[in-house]
Amino acid sequence: VVWEDPFPKSSYLFALVAGDLAMIEDTFITLSGKSVTLRIYAQKGKENRLEYAMKSLKKAFAWDEKAFGREYDFNLFNLVAVSDFNMGAMENKSLNIFNDKLVLANPETATDTDYMRIESVIAHEYFHNWSGDRVTARDWFNLSLKEGFTVYREQEFSADMNSRALQRINDVLFLWRVQFPEDAGPLAHPVRPESYMEIDNFYTSTVYEKGAELIRMQEKILGKDLFRKATDLYFSRHDGQAVTIDDFVKCMEDASNIDLSQFKRWYSQAGTPEVEVKDEYDPEKQTYTLFMTQKTNPTPMQEKKDPLFIPIEIALLNHKGEEIPLILDGDDLDTPANSKVLILDSPEKSFVFKNIQEKPLPSLNRSFTAPINIAFPYTDKDLVFLMAKDTDPFIRWSAGQKYALQYIKSVYQDLMQNKQLKLDNNFNNAFASYLDIADDKMFAAMALQLPSLQYLFEQLEDVDIDILDTAFKYVRDNFVREFKSKLLAVYHANYVSDPFDISASAVSRRALRNRVLAYLATLKDEDTDSLVREQYRNSVNMTDVQASLAILLNNQIKGYEDALGDFYWHFKKDPLVVNKWLMLQAGAEGNSQVLAEVKKLTKHEAFNWKNPNKVYALIGAFSNNFVHFHAKDGSGYDFLADTIIHIDAFNPLVASHVATFFGNWRKLDEKRRKLVEKNLNKILNTQNLSKHVWEIVSKSMVK
């Protein structure tokens, strides 16, 4: 076969796949009328699970034409799914290579979450055809030029395909759980790193997801029309070139005449900015003032931080929850608007609004305009008001998260001081109000999720994990006991009769139903236990099967062993589903012997150390099993260190990723810190340690 390729490109974009593969084929007609042949390949016997991937690919082609004016350039596009692959996918020109877990799907083997992930990642790799292939990065320091921009494009695509509000909440949840801890820990680095030993170690949430947030901020600063003009300019000016982040920002400036020189500090400074907001209302002048200050804490290799250019969208709500028209005092050209994007570009700055007839409640950083921690002295009453009244779905959700966070932290502090615990019935009632959202069940399912232990951990210092877990369960269990009947009613009201329906309505009802079932199971009543067993027995779609099996395991409900055996027997010939089986066992929160089970599973026929998917399923799930990984005796740390050393001998890339599971360990209590440090030193003292692992572990040791 002779391939003719008219486009110059970086060598990393070339790829060849050879094998005896099965294939499905379809056609897409581009905006200009060109016919493109689409082919998706997989191992023989798996081709019946490729149709959803093909539909997702065609959606991505059409969306990129409409949203960014980008038409595909060849007459053929190939996508290949392989089972042993260190990464999720690669954007090799006209031959995208995927880990098959991000391609193969049918309702019997893939969850609703799997479907959404497949749709978004296939779009991401296709979008690289322009943001990464036609215009690529000059060097690896500018990796976020292509990855941050393409993550932003992927997020916008998913928002348009599904729910914009829920996409934004999911994006922020990932930042809070993964990127913010990275920015606050020993592995903090700028979006544009200043140095690296192995570039594989910089395929991080900072480069990808924080990089996407920087693109989103520029879109907010310019406005949608000017942002589209700027991206058109970027693609036309640099087509066929290898360029830098500076070139991208220059296109933003040239299209808008806005000076973004200070904004570029976001690319060179690590850390999450903290913005403190205070307010003052003058009833005589009818003015309302917001006082804002910003700071970014020191990070490794960066003690001094300069003030950033931070866009913050705000609204002001009156006592009815209505948005007050905003006019900035001193700006005669300002026109009233229900929300405004304020620019905080100095260490401190004040914003005065006029014609404000009553003291309002501010709605701050709407839609999470900027990736910052924002502090305002909201009372519990204020947060309940925002949960119920704010028109911004992100603010309604985050208000509930803040209220839960404050409540759990107060219980934790009382436990640490041996104080008597006090119930907060106001919290229970406010949180239960999410159960009454009839028109947006997916939002209700998201809002009913309490902040994770890991997120709570990041908000504290010298954390005793066991006491934090006790505080979390105290808040959760009191809520569930008080609203058991209501939770049961919601569970039964959201039954989906067609198990293979993956419409938005069916997906949202399943999500809400499984959320409340997980709560009900914590009661450990025979009637709720039987509900979980019944759902497992009667379900045929993977979403409900996996959810009920996870609940059985997490709560060690009678019959969980039989369910585990049944699940494996049904799916043992399907590696992707078996990986779910491994993951669920390693993540079982209620199993006090989970580490022993994980060690046994490493010797099981279903596990293979040399398959990255299996390593991430088993070892990754255990590392996220927060209480058991952080066992007081250090056994979880010992196991992870031995695992890293073992994998490093044959797959340093996977080993270095596993090494990041130690996370922001300096927030632990003193005893646990010493145990982690002992294991990190053990890894560093290993003979023939790879550069991949040495770089991650040595940086983890930096104070």
Side-chain angles (χ1 to χ4, degrees), residues 18 85 121 389 456 475 484 504 515 534 570 615 694 699:
F85 194 49
V121 177
K389 299 291 187 179
L456 292 163
V475 172
K484 175 183 176 181
R515 177 77 69 216
E534 181 183 351
H570 272 94
V615 170
W694 188 90
K699 286 182 176 178

Side-chain angles (χ1 to χ4, degrees), residues 137-420:
R138 186 191 68 186
D139 50 60
W140 293 117
F141 296 104
N142 287 279
L143 178 61
S144 193
L145 173 79
K146 69 186 190 71
E147 294 300 349
F149 187 24
T150 304
V151 169
Y152 166 81
R153 278 152 52 72
E154 167 203 330
Q155 291 171 350
E156 286 296 292
F157 165 79
S158 296
D160 285 344
M161 294 302 106
N162 301 291
S163 162
R164 180 160 292 276
L166 293 173
Q167 178 64 38
R168 193 67 191 128
I169 290 171
N170 274 318
D171 295 341
V172 175
L173 263 176
F174 186 86
L175 288 167
W176 283 358
R177 290 173 177 170
V178 181
Q179 198 281 317
F180 277 26
E182 185 172 270
D183 242 350
L187 297 177
H189 58 275
V191 171
R192 179 163 49 188
E194 295 175 0
S195 64
Y196 60 84
M197 182 176 290
E198 293 292 341
I199 189 58
D200 293 327
N201 289 337
F202 279 97
Y203 282 75
T204 63
S205 60
T206 295
V207 168
Y208 278 64
E209 277 74 23
K210 186 175 181 179
E213 293 302 307
L214 306 196
I215 304 295
R216 189 174 301 281
M217 282 192 285
Q218 291 173 76
E219 184 259 345
K220 184 63 72 171
I221 293 165
L222 270 66
K224 289 190 178 296
D225 291 342
L226 285 178
F227 181 74
R228 171 61 190 272
K229 180 182 176 183
T231 58
D232 285 348
L233 176 62
Y234 170 71
F235 288 126
S236 62
R237 179 183 287 177
H238 298 297
D239 190 11
Q241 297 178 12
V243 296
T244 67
I245 286 167
D246 294 321
D247 294 315
F248 180 89
V249 177
K250 185 68 165 60
C251 291
M252 298 288 124
E253 292 179 319
D254 289 350
S256 65
N257 291 320
I258 296 174
D259 181 2
L260 295 174
S261 54
Q262 184 185 357
F263 179 85
K264 288 199 292 184
R265 289 176 184 168
W266 278 98
Y267 285 102
S268 57
Q269 286 191 177
T272 302
E274 297 179 1
V275 174
E276 185 177 7
V277 183
K278 296 180 180 179
D279 68 341
E280 183 180 278
Y281 178 62
D282 187 328
E284 292 184 5
K285 296 181 181 178
Q286 293 196 338
T287 59
Y288 179 75
T289 306
L290 288 174
F291 303 93
M292 295 189 182
T293 60
Q294 63 160 296
K295 71 169 184 176
T296 305
N297 291 323
T299 55
M301 309 302 290
Q302 282 189 344
E303 285 292 320
K304 183 180 179 296
K305 304 290 184 178
D306 293 319
L308 295 166
F309 187 97
I310 307 175
I312 303 173
E313 184 172 358
I314 69 111
L316 302 179
L317 308 183
N318 66 19
H319 71 282
K320 296 180 181 178
E322 299 166 335
E323 294 170 351
I324 301 169
L326 303 180
I327 303 177
L328 279 168
D329 192 23
D331 187 349
D332 295 334
L333 298 177
D334 197 20
T335 54
N338 287 350
S339 66
K340 282 193 180 295
V341 177
L342 307 180
I343 302 298
L344 178 61
D345 54 4
S346 56
E348 56 184 51
K349 195 171 183 178
S350 59
F351 303 89
V352 182
F353 301 93
K354 58 186 181 181
N355 301 332
I356 307 297
Q357 297 175 8
E358 62 176 278
K359 184 175 183 180
L361 185 66
S363 174
L364 301 169
N365 207 25
R366 306 190 104 199
S367 297
F368 206 67
T369 329
I372 59 177
N373 284 316
I374 195 159
F376 181 83
Y378 288 118
T379 64
D380 291 348
K381 185 178 178 181
D382 292 337
L383 293 172
V384 172
F385 185 84
L386 292 173
M387 289 167 70
K389 299 291 187 179
D390 205 303
T391 57
D392 184 308
F394 168 76
I395 297 295
R396 287 179 59 207
W397 169 79
S398 64
Q401 294 291 294
K402 287 175 185 174
Y403 194 176
L405 173 65
Q406 290 176 187
Y407 182 23
I408 297 170
K409 281 174 67 175
S410 70
V411 173
Y412 171 77
Q413 288 156 0
D414 286 346
L415 285 168
M416 291 291 287
Q417 298 170 27
N418 294 314
K419 291 182 178 179
Q420 186 174 356

